[in-house]
Amino acid sequence: MLDIHGPTVELRQRKKPKSSENKESAKEEKINDTPVPERAPKHILFQRFAKIFIGCLAAVTSGMMYALYLSAYHERKFWFSNRQELEREITFQGDSAIYYSYYKDMLKAPSFERGVYELMHNNKTVSLKTINAVQQMSLYPELMASVLYQATGSNEIIEPVYFYIGIVFGLQGIYVIALFVTSWLMSGTWLAGMLTVAWFIINRVDTTRIEHSIPLRENWALPYFACQVAALTGYLKSNLNSYGERFCYLLMSASTYTFMMVWEYSHYLLFLQAISLFLLDSFSLEQSDKVHEVYKIYIFSLFLGYLLQFENSALLVSPLLSLVVALMLAKCLQLNVKRGTFVAKIMKVISVYLVCTLTVTLNIIMKMFVPHKENGHMLKFLEVKFGLNMTKNFTMNWLLCQESLQAPSQDFFLRLTQSSLLPFYILVLIICFLSMIQVIFRRINDKSLKETVTLEDGRIGERPEIIYHVIHTILLGSLAMIIEGLKYLWTPYVCMLAAFGVCSPELWMTLFKWLRLRTVHPVLLALILSMAVPTIIGLSLWKEFFPRLMTELMELQEFYDPDTVELMTWIKRQAPVAAVFAGSPQLMGVIKLCTGWMVTSLPLYNDDDLLKRNENIYQIYSKRSAEDIYKILTSYKASYLIIEDAICNEVGTMRGCRVKDLLDIANGHVVCEEGDKLTYSKHGRFCHEVKINYSPYVNYFTRVYWNRSYFVYKINTVISFQS
């Protein structure tokens, strides 16, 4: 016994390392001080294996069932298998049509290399404009889908459209699995994963936009982000072994890079995550090395993405890069000061201030020296959104009128409350947040913290992964309260955090410690509640919402749009191959997909030139003269004009948000603010006047086709001014 414990006593009597050169010896001392755990008995190993096996089986089954549910729901909603190809393609609306059209172009290309080259030098989509579609529209998912479709021989088994949407539905299944695993890792029970999936599916109107638009970039990207969050959660755990830590690190690296490649706005979401990790690093000293390893992943992904995304300068001027570089510099400048001292606290405050200052400074410097085409309209939109500026600009006001860019409605909170998600989320968030604050004050007051927190301690806020998720969900929730479209980033993690909390004995034990429960043994009660509460919630959700889900699958809906089908059929049969069509951007996307004809604009909002085109083409619904409209259309080499009756005669629920109202404000035909001069237009609204067929409109435009919804006019090349 003396021989065994001798080295340990000797190590404990050594002096503390005084400088950074003795860090390695300090780590060795800590390792030697830690007793080697005894090997668990066979029956315990079997129980662990059975628990992991059942949990993994439940996670995979949940993901597969959700993917199959989406496929079945999509089939019943659009009656997809009984449609002709043209009718199927019409179900892709707006920007979704553009993404799928390029997938079709890749399949038609003689080779993959040739297809990529044509997309990179694309001059067959928008008139008078050559675009790098791969870079501008982040078409990497379509490139991979086309490669997989041809490499796997699926062209002999399944139609291209089914393969395409099947991949997206499969990714949504992975999305659910990742949320399942994250909740499981945090709570220690796969029951939390089951509850997460149940809440996610029941609230899918607020958790995903997959039902409205399948090819959206976020539907491709967010599953990878969920995998990254799951890997990060495991990586931050204190009791993780070296093999698990290595696996989480590799998964986190791969998913971070993939996420950054498939979505152009990914670095903004990673910026919020980096802020969360920075605050975690400030509050939890033990995880500092791990957090800085994650920063290295960010830098690697940013520079690799910069190179493979055609030197995308947006990544170099992103706030993520500036923050990570500032954190690295602050790490290098840190002095080895004894923890807990007054000097150490002052240095921590100075370090936080230094990081914030360096981040802003570096970002300004990068924007000064790196040529970039930052989305200036986004900054202007935020200024107007927060009341810092006023504008009459059509594009800005049109964006402000979009439902997804407004504050969330009361219906959103009502839906989350009816499914019991919001009340439990608030309860869990309050307990975790207060426990986290309690831990921070302990650190400030130099109170000793246990190296391993047990269930009896009731300190859930000491776990680093919990601190990270609390900060992250608060940041995402704050943004979702301002812009409703961001709820799709926040609500899935609301499901995960709420499910983790009600299934975690630690959370209930933390609450009982505060309440100083004496009548019943608090540990026993915490274990009982962590099983009973989620079971009751699950049964109530099953009773109330499962019949609704089954009813949705049983109902045979039908997407019926004969006017659009007739229009596309006429274009394919009657319009010349060299024709260029002008109209609303949403309709132009469908025309590009269904016919392949060239258009004047696209429903994309990340390019200033396209935004200006959209605004100019929308003038067909304003009070402008025939000559003005003719000059605008011919400047883009348009040969056909399509008037949509739904826009021309729009009766919007929000007056002032109709396209024609926004155009009148932008053109000064109505009073926008006090003191503005009212400009009376001597011309009627063009979309109305052109239908009457009188001079001068008939001199410039000749109607060649119409139905109940669309009026198509040929733009005359030879103009006759005879009445």
Side-chain angles (χ1 to χ4, degrees), residues 330-343:
K331 177 74 171 178
C332 297
L333 296 174
Q334 276 184 359
L335 301 176
N336 291 311
V337 182
K338 186 178 180 181
R339 295 176 184 176
T341 62
F342 178 75
V343 177

Side-chain angles (χ1 to χ4, degrees), residues 394-412:
F394 169 80
T395 302
M396 290 298 105
N397 288 325
W398 185 82
L399 290 173
L400 286 169
C401 284
Q402 300 305 301
E403 184 178 353
S404 61
L405 296 177
Q406 296 179 8
S409 62
Q410 293 182 355
D411 293 338
F412 167 61

Side-chain angles (χ1 to χ4, degrees), residues 274-328:
I275 293 176
S276 304
L277 291 173
F278 165 57
L279 295 176
L280 168 64
D281 188 19
S282 302
F283 301 147
S284 180
L285 302 176
E286 289 78 7
Q287 299 297 321
S288 180
D289 292 336
K290 286 187 176 182
V291 169
H292 281 269
E293 288 298 320
V294 180
Y295 295 156
K296 294 177 184 178
I297 294 176
Y298 290 152
I299 291 181
F300 173 78
S301 300
L302 280 168
F303 281 105
L304 192 59
Y306 169 76
L307 295 175
L308 296 182
Q309 290 183 356
F310 309 96
E311 298 183 357
N312 184 6
S313 58
L315 297 180
L316 294 183
V317 299
S318 70
L320 174 63
L321 180 61
S322 301
L323 174 61
V324 172
V325 172
L327 289 166
M328 292 292 189

Side-chain angles (χ1 to χ4, degrees), residues 110-154:
S111 65
F112 177 77
E113 294 79 7
R114 183 62 187 175
V116 173
Y117 178 83
E118 290 180 354
L119 291 183
M120 290 171 55
H121 304 83
N122 186 280
N123 57 2
K124 298 179 180 179
T125 299
V126 183
S127 61
L128 300 179
K129 189 176 179 67
T130 300
I131 59 175
N132 185 341
V134 179
Q135 177 186 11
Q136 188 164 343
M137 303 178 195
S138 300
L139 295 180
Y140 298 97
E142 282 68 30
L143 298 183
M144 292 304 301
S146 63
V147 169
L148 290 174
Y149 183 72
Q150 294 174 335
T152 57
S154 300

Side-chain angles (χ1 to χ4, degrees), residues 32 58 82 202 317 359 487 496 540 549 577 626 696:
N32 291 335
N82 296 310
I202 289 170
V317 299
T359 301
K487 69 181 180 181
M496 182 273 299
S540 63
L549 296 177
V577 177

Side-chain angles (χ1 to χ4, degrees), residues 16-28 336:
K16 289 185 178 180
K18 296 182 180 180
S19 62
S20 58
E21 62 187 9
N22 293 325
K23 282 185 178 179
E24 293 297 327
S25 61
K27 290 180 181 178
E28 290 177 3
N336 291 311

Side-chain angles (χ1 to χ4, degrees), residues 442 450 452-460 462 505-514 516-518 521-527:
R442 282 201 187 101
K450 291 187 176 181
T452 55
V453 180
T454 60
L455 177 60
E456 290 82 0
D457 296 327
R459 295 181 183 176
I460 197 169
E462 287 191 13
E506 283 185 77
L507 182 127
W508 295 110
M509 192 63 201
T510 302
L511 179 62
F512 296 153
K513 277 285 185 180
W514 293 342
R516 298 181 179 180
L517 190 64
R518 303 292 184 187
H521 197 287
V523 176
L524 178 61
L525 185 58
L527 291 171

Side-chain angles (χ1 to χ4, degrees), residues 236-261:
L236 291 175
K237 290 178 72 70
S238 303
N239 57 348
L240 192 66
N241 59 45
S242 58
Y243 294 105
E245 188 174 304
R246 192 174 304 166
F247 172 77
C248 289
Y249 185 83
L250 292 175
L251 177 60
M252 188 165 39
S253 302
S255 54
T256 301
Y257 172 69
T258 308
F259 175 57
M260 194 170 291
M261 288 293 292

